[in-house]
Amino acid sequence: MKLYHSPASPFVRKVMVVLHETGQLDAVQLQDTTLIPMAPPADLAASNPLSKIPALERPDGPTIYDSRVICAYLDDRARAGLYPGGAARWSTLTLEATADGIMEAAVLMTYEARVRPEEKRSAEWVEAQWSKAARAIAAIEARWMSHLQGPLDIGHIAVACALGYVDFRHGVRDWRTENPALADWFALFESRPAMVATRPPAA
Ligand code: BEZ
């Protein structure tokens, strides 16, 4: 299978952590993809009409995207159990969605700083994105700490990749002081081999 990949993308990292944790690294080839929003690579656009990464080309079926679909597919493929059943399922999926929302807001902040012409940048808009991310981080601290102490699932992986990306691109944002339990959890989770192996490159 071919995975459209960029080591800086937190959504790609989620997929990579799932590949590590479920022992499926050998099943994928990584296709390094440089994303320029105004000029998406032709092979990516042909595979995913949204020209977004990650996208996973499979020999036995159409390309799948986005990270949520790919992670669920890989879990199914390995019967890894990263998606609990019963009532816990909805809590896990909502935690994953919350973490993905942090990634979305943080990536938009990055794009504003790196891609948008300087004269068009809006500090107010950036702060509005950060408010979303900060509220979501506080919600995880308030609602999901006991979940995060439980067995590994896709919620844990998504939260860790979201916080890792905030640290990577927006290290000046201090989310730890207000969220000490989450900070302690992340310090431990970050040392898992799957997280160490997928650390983004130096900014
Ligand atoms: C980044 O460089 O921050 C980035 C790269 C690809 C996707 C999302 C973010």
Side-chain angles (χ1 to χ4, degrees):
M1 296 186 286
K2 181 161 95 176
L3 179 68
Y4 287 90
H5 176 274
S6 161
S9 162
F11 298 102
V12 170
R13 189 178 189 190
K14 225 176 112 188
V15 171
M16 292 303 299
V17 172
V18 168
L19 285 167
H20 277 267
E21 294 284 0
T22 62
Q24 298 185 83
L25 269 182
D26 290 348
V28 293
Q29 270 173 269
L30 304 184
Q31 168 80 37
D32 271 330
T33 311
T34 305
L35 275 190
I36 305 163
M38 274 69 78
D43 55 347
L44 175 62
S47 238
N48 174 356
L50 300 170
S51 310
K52 284 184 163 182
I53 53 169
L56 183 69
E57 284 182 5
R58 301 171 299 160
D60 55 349
T63 299
I64 57 172
Y65 48 87
D66 54 10
S67 70
R68 280 189 224 181
V69 176
I70 298 171
C71 290
Y73 168 78
L74 292 173
D75 178 74
D76 205 47
R77 189 173 181 273
R79 301 195 201 301
L82 292 175
Y83 296 79
R89 175 175 181 80
W90 309 116
S91 176
T92 297
L93 293 179
T94 307
L95 179 56
E96 182 187 17
T98 304
D100 283 3
I102 296 168
M103 294 182 207
E104 277 154 22
V107 168
L108 287 175
M109 289 164 66
T110 304
Y111 275 36
E112 183 77 0
R114 295 187 159 218
V115 180
R116 212 166 165 74
E118 200 166 347
E119 68 280 5
K120 293 190 178 155
R121 287 179 203 155
S122 161
E124 225 182 347
W125 187 87
V126 169
E127 287 316 302
Q129 295 307 319
W130 176 246
S131 296
K132 282 188 206 180
R135 270 198 309 274
I137 292 170
I140 295 170
E141 169 91 5
R143 175 172 165 190
W144 273 289
M145 287 320 303
S146 74
H147 181 123
L148 290 174
Q149 301 306 339
L152 178 72
D153 67 28
I154 193 63
H156 299 62
I157 293 170
V159 169
C161 293
L163 296 175
Y165 185 78
V166 168
D167 283 352
F168 170 54
R169 287 288 188 222
H170 308 290
V172 294
R173 306 282 180 170
D174 170 25
W175 58 269
R176 287 176 171 80
T177 303
E178 300 278 312
N179 304 284
L182 186 58
D184 286 349
W185 172 84
F186 182 56
L188 204 62
F189 197 91
E190 257 195 315
S191 65
R192 288 177 83 91
M195 291 294 291
V196 172
T198 58
R199 267 190 201 136

